[in-house]
Amino acid sequence: MSLTRPGLWAAALLLALSLGTLAAVAWRAEWAGGLGAADWAAIRFTLTQALVSAALSVGLAVPVARALARRAFPGRAVLVTLLGAPFILPVVVAVMGLLAVFGRRGLVSDALATFGLPPIDIYGFEGVVLAHVFFNLPLATRMLLQGWLAIPSERFRLAESLGAPVGRLLEWPMVRATAPGAFLVIFLICLSSFAVALILGGGPRATTVELAIYQAVRFDFDLGRAALLALVQFGLCALVAAVAFRVALPDGLGGGLDRVVRRRDGVPLLDAAWIGAAALFLLVPLGAVVLAGVAGLVDLPGSIWAASLRSLGVALVATALAMTLALVLALRPGAGVSLAGVLPLAASPLVVGTGLFVLLYPFVSPGRVALAVTALVNAMMAVPFAVRILAPAVAQAEATYGRLADGLGLAGWQRLRLLLLPRLRRPLGFAAGLAAALSMGDLGVITLFAGSDKATLPLEMYRLMGSYRSDAAAGAGLLLFGLSLGLFWLFDRGGRIGADT
Amino acid sequence: MRTTATIAGLMLATTASAETLTIYTYDSFVPEWGPGPAVAAAFEAQCGCEIEFVAAGDGAALLSRLRLEGARTEADIVLGLDSNLVAQARETGLFAPHGVEADFDLPVAWDDDTFLPFDWGYFAFVSSADTEAPANFRELAESDLSIAIQDPRSSTPGLGLVLWVEQAYGEEAGEVWQGLADNVLTVTPGWSEAYGLFLEGEADAVLSYTTSPAYHAIAEEDDSKVAWAFDEGHYLQIEVVAMVEGTDQPELAQDFMAFVATDGFQSVIPTTNWMYPAVTPAEGLPEGFGELVQPETALLYPPQEAAEVREDAIATWRDALAQ
């Protein structure tokens, strides 16, 4: 297929951005020594919390996604959109929302107090895992839900009329194919977690590798140690990626007509309980974010609007770039491409940013390219999600219609336009929504490059927080939440429109 | 030869059209509600030049950015390093003496020909007025009050706290931290997150500054926040500004350094940066500042010593809290 070459280019670009920037940092470093005992403690903690967080997120997502896949109810579409919300919230905003529910003065503690019980204390390992599940359960649910929706409805009807076990024949193979990928992605997100672990971790026991990198770059200016730690992070990523790819089995179900599944199996009450519990867990903290932010909206400074426009621009550019890269990668499956689609997640944003700084500084003033670099790095960080969402859909379309298309001599651009893109609408919309929202909410590398007057909305929010203006910061958080969710909804819906007919 | 002449001509043309002084500073200095705009307006009125602020995270990130850029940096002035970072900043060799004479109103003597103080504050725990205030770290350790603090490995106030305990207790610092371990609700990456936790009611107190209650009193007309006075004394944060040696605007930079010690700069500081001005302006301090806690003892490691004890002090902190 003539789309091979762009796929290679995209893979090369992602490799350069993740490993190349690491090399640039290492090249600029003065080597002082290896890793100390504290670094190893950080590696252990990072690994443990990431494994537990990812296992819980994916494990809980299976029944939730299954329930969502087979039940139709009013508000389902809104709920599915809102599922994307925690994941795209800026970390600090989401943590404040979580604390409004699970904190010492949160709803749960208040409820306990009415029974004369002491408040719950989530600071520590539990808090870190709780927050990571809050962020990633929705993502896992959406990824698995895509898998469920990709099972042709004809199969369910056939299985039903034959009285065959739907779970074993149809659903388990799909979970086998989808869950390891979801687990890997979430593991990697938790691996490079920094602020969550630090805010909810309760103390230096909860030091992650990313914090150690942050300290090395920003406080000690020990670039050698930063590069070494970033390498460790890549090593952990490679290890878990190898396991995940081995466990994942290719899905060989064949195709059908894209109809919404109408099913009668399962216990409705149990499904309702899963959906209700997940919705409560996710939506109550979001409600707290909205409540806290509404009062602050009137305090927003004028500069917030220019910052919002800048962030929207960055998000749209990053989305276009991420979708292009992800699509060409998804069209050319293979080990190298899979790796390029995962590596960016294991990259430390700080090391990537510092590496780019080192590489670009000789040629251009950092402030001038701040927004361009932010868009580029945001796109890079979104590619793994997009590839994970697109690749199975591409594979399925190829498996179903590939031979027909070959017979018709459909190749290259024609094949993409006539065969693949129409089949990919739903995953493309979801992936683009995710990329846009992620880019919108990410503080990213703008802090490394920021010149004069180039603040993005997340940066502006942090600045408000950093100067006592917590009400206005909460307002900015709500604005950011609204814009991110709006972008997500637009793209995601764009992909879903007409999917029912 | 002709190219050289053209380039020289172009350079002359650009410098003649707009003289720009580039100031690298921390994030919270530049927003419209921060000191930046007023400071820039006051200086631009006297110099007929333009000020361009480049915001680079916090004080530590600012120094890292400068080290990444090295001698080629576009910065003419670096504003916002704190005294605990001065030794590392000096080591870079990127800064030039400022040549400014000023009568500083600092609680300790400060005599440095390169790093000029522009404001200062005492670190302190801030709590609600109705919380019973401990009188020192030991009392705090014995109480069941919860505190939110910042990580000394990623935040300048966090480092200030660790040096505070280190200087007040020396050999006993580890024991004090062990006592405090069950009071520490959590450790945040920066000041903002810890202060947010406190405002949400998650922690009884937060490590901040004695001047923090002034913000609530003046900007929000809320008198309910107080700073605890500790009888060990309070550690200082002195924020400094310095001139970059390789600046292409040496005269402007020199003028700006002199301007820092004048009222035009200093009178902006109290109600925008919420710190004490390094030189008290002629009109005195704003009203709310009069009621603030006045520590009896000011603690501060001189820059070189701060750099030397830093690593061990952080290790003591980490070992005590990680148990």
Side-chain angles (χ1 to χ4, degrees), chain B:
Chain B
M1 278 311 281
R2 185 176 295 167
T3 12
T4 331
T6 319
I7 291 170
L10 278 174
M11 282 172 70
L12 280 176
T14 44
T15 42
S17 63
E19 298 244 30
T20 304
L21 186 70
T22 306
I23 301 179
Y24 280 23
T25 184
Y26 50 66
D27 252 349
S28 55
F29 200 84
V30 295
E32 58 184 61
W33 57 85
V39 163
F43 186 65
E44 282 168 358
Q46 83 174 53
C47 71
C49 64
E50 260 182 55
I51 282 189
E52 189 188 24
F53 286 115
V54 172
D58 64 356
L62 180 60
L63 183 57
S64 282
R65 166 104 177 229
L66 212 68
R67 285 164 113 176
L68 269 180
E69 297 190 349
R72 279 189 48 231
T73 179
E74 283 168 26
D76 301 308
I77 297 278
V78 174
L79 185 151
L81 302 173
D82 98 338
S83 45
N84 298 324
L85 297 168
V86 159
Q88 291 144 279
R90 199 191 310 280
E91 244 173 66
T92 63
L94 292 172
F95 298 99
H98 53 67
V100 177
E101 299 277 329
D103 244 344
F104 294 117
D105 297 296
L106 297 171
V108 292
W110 182 273
D111 185 23
D112 193 301
D113 66 350
T114 306
F115 297 93
L116 185 76
F118 67 91
D119 69 11
W120 62 278
Y122 291 107
F123 288 118
F125 286 98
V126 172
S127 84
S128 162
D130 48 25
T131 307
E132 200 175 326
N136 49 51
F137 281 106
R138 290 204 191 272
E139 272 192 39
L140 173 59
E142 278 160 27
S143 75
D144 50 11
L145 294 167
S146 64
I147 53 173
I149 61 173
Q150 301 84 0
D151 197 307
R153 300 165 296 174
S154 62
S155 133
T156 44
L159 179 59
L161 174 64
V162 164
L163 293 178
W164 182 1
V165 174
E166 184 73 20
Q167 194 169 34
Y169 288 97
E171 292 289 302
E172 294 165 37
E175 183 199 317
V176 169
W177 276 117
Q178 275 169 22
L180 287 169
D182 61 350
N183 300 91
V184 174
L185 176 78
T186 195
V187 181
T188 64
W191 177 90
S192 315
E193 295 89 355
Y195 211 83
L197 287 177
F198 163 66
L199 291 178
E200 290 295 313
E202 284 295 304
D204 296 320
V206 59
L207 178 75
S208 190
Y209 302 92
T210 57
T211 42
S212 301
Y215 171 81
H216 298 286
I218 296 173
E220 298 178 338
E221 294 177 0
D222 166 13
D223 292 327
S224 71
K225 308 283 189 294
V226 294
W228 295 340
F230 274 13
D231 53 25
E232 299 97 333
H234 286 243
Y235 201 81
L236 278 176
Q237 180 168 53
I238 298 179
E239 299 195 291
V240 299
V241 47
M243 199 171 113
V244 175
E245 175 134 63
T247 168
D248 55 1
Q249 298 284 4
E251 276 170 39
L252 269 185
Q254 192 78 61
D255 289 350
F256 184 81
M257 294 300 284
F259 168 73
V260 166
T262 65
D263 281 9
F265 185 106
Q266 296 291 324
S267 62
V268 175
I269 290 297
T271 54
T272 52
N273 227 23
W274 304 100
M275 296 282 271
Y276 286 107
V279 181
T280 311
E283 77 245 33
L285 292 169
E287 216 169 296
F289 275 65
E291 290 114 56
L292 298 177
V293 162
Q294 297 298 328
E296 283 170 18
T297 321
L299 305 174
L300 184 74
Y301 283 110
Q304 195 52 41
E305 237 178 287
E308 283 158 16
V309 300
R310 194 184 82 156
E311 200 172 318
D312 286 340
I314 290 177
T316 307
W317 168 85
R318 190 185 56 219
D319 293 343
L321 291 195
Q323 277 170 14

Side-chain angles (χ1 to χ4, degrees), chain A residues 320-461:
Chain A
L321 193 57
M323 295 316 291
T324 312
L325 289 171
L327 193 58
V328 293
L329 282 173
L331 290 176
R332 193 193 173 281
V337 171
S338 315
L339 197 63
V342 171
L343 270 185
L345 273 185
S348 151
L350 198 62
V351 171
V352 172
T354 309
L356 280 174
F357 194 101
V358 169
L359 291 172
L360 291 174
Y361 187 65
F363 309 105
V364 58
S365 160
R368 236 162 249 144
V369 292
L371 293 180
V373 170
T374 306
L376 178 69
V377 175
N378 285 352
M380 165 199 171
M381 294 298 179
V383 164
F385 302 105
V387 170
R388 203 127 292 284
I389 294 161
L390 293 179
V394 170
Q396 205 185 26
E398 283 289 345
T400 316
Y401 301 101
R403 275 195 296 179
L404 179 65
D406 287 344
L408 291 170
L410 270 187
W413 173 242
Q414 291 295 334
R415 190 184 185 108
L416 181 66
R417 195 170 64 86
L418 293 175
L419 165 65
L420 293 171
L421 285 184
R423 315 257 98 214
L424 291 179
R425 274 176 74 173
R426 192 152 34 184
L428 270 177
F430 175 43
L434 210 55
L438 275 179
S439 171
M440 190 79 204
D442 190 35
L443 187 57
V445 292
I446 187 93
T447 49
L448 284 177
F449 282 80
S452 51
D453 305 328
K454 287 275 170 56
T456 55
L457 186 50
L459 182 56
E460 199 76 353
M461 187 192 78

